[in-house]
Amino acid sequence: YNEAVNAALGNTAPLEKMTLVARDVIGSHDWSLRAPATDYKDLDVLVDAFNRMLSECETRTTELEREMVTRQGVERELRQADRQKDMFLATLAHELRNPLSPMTSAVALLQMPTVSPQAREKALAVLERQLQHIVRLVNDLLDASRVATGKLSLDTAPLNIGELLHTAAEGAQALAQQQGLQLQLHLPDEALYVNG
């Protein structure tokens, strides 16, 4: 009888070790832990199955963690792209609004019955220049769409910095006047070109 009891108790030691490993895995989430092998054939099959299950859980957990890191990276990139899109749209809205002020002033000037022919010509030139600026901005917006779809090609050309500054100052002139400021632009006699 004692031998049978001792044999039965000896057979439970591997189960107790397996139970301890299971508790450790649950507590630590360390799927690399394994139950020790046993000398008992019947129990060794159970321990081996338990260890294979832990190995499968470890593999799946590692795959899920990798996938989660990848998804987090993609999510960060999407958030960054969304912020850049918002910044682009805010800048574009600002840039589209800028030419409207000189255009409004030019239209108001053209509506005056006593406007001189020289002032009329200047107002028409302002309207034409600012309208071309708006067309360029709309084309830039279309280019942004082409960037998103991978269909953008850049065309560079020589640009006169003086003309760009003159257009920018002209766009800010009405705002300066509204604020009671005087805006003056002093350009060099020689034209300065950049490739842009």
Side-chain angles (χ1 to χ4, degrees):
Y1 172 77
N2 285 342
E3 289 179 18
V5 170
N6 287 338
L9 289 175
N11 285 343
T12 62
L15 292 175
E16 288 174 8
K17 289 178 182 176
M18 199 167 66
T19 302
L20 289 174
V21 169
R23 283 184 184 156
D24 288 346
V25 168
I26 291 169
S28 67
H29 301 286
D30 182 358
W31 296 100
S32 66
L33 299 175
R34 297 293 180 267
T38 177
D39 294 332
Y40 303 99
K41 279 187 173 180
D42 294 338
L43 288 177
D44 201 38
V45 170
L46 178 63
V47 169
D48 186 50
F50 176 74
N51 285 336
R52 278 187 280 134
M53 180 193 68
L54 287 176
S55 181
E56 181 67 23
C57 288
E58 181 181 20
T59 301
R60 300 291 174 139
T61 301
T62 303
E63 289 171 1
L64 288 172
E65 286 170 349
R66 277 194 213 120
E67 187 177 318
M68 185 177 68
V69 167
T70 301
R71 285 185 181 186
Q72 287 171 341
V74 169
E75 186 178 325
R76 273 192 304 276
E77 289 173 8
L78 287 173
R79 272 196 240 109
Q80 177 65 22
D82 192 47
R83 279 191 295 271
Q84 288 175 340
K85 175 197 58 123
D86 289 346
M87 289 171 49
F88 171 77
L89 290 175
T91 303
L92 181 65
H94 179 75
E95 291 298 320
L96 283 171
R97 190 178 61 191
N98 282 344
L100 296 178
S101 183
M103 290 175 80
T104 302
S105 297
V107 167
L109 184 68
L110 289 173
Q111 290 175 339
M112 293 178 164
T114 58
V115 68
S116 70
Q118 295 86 2
R120 183 177 295 277
E121 279 184 38
K122 185 177 177 184
L124 288 172
V126 167
L127 283 172
E128 182 180 1
R129 223 176 8 258
Q130 295 304 326
L131 187 58
Q132 287 173 355
H133 182 63
I134 288 175
V135 167
R136 279 194 306 271
L137 289 172
V138 170
N139 285 336
D140 288 347
L141 182 58
L142 292 172
D143 286 345
S145 172
R146 290 183 190 115
V147 165
T149 58
K151 298 177 183 175
L152 176 70
S153 63
L154 295 177
D155 297 321
T156 59
L159 299 173
N160 184 335
I161 293 291
E163 289 177 8
L164 293 173
L165 288 173
H166 180 74
T167 301
E170 190 175 73
Q173 188 68 38
L175 180 61
Q177 288 175 347
Q178 288 173 356
Q179 300 296 319
L181 301 172
Q182 184 179 8
L183 179 63
Q184 294 180 348
L185 179 63
H186 301 282
L187 296 173
D189 295 333
E190 188 177 309
L192 175 62
Y193 288 90
V194 295
N195 209 29

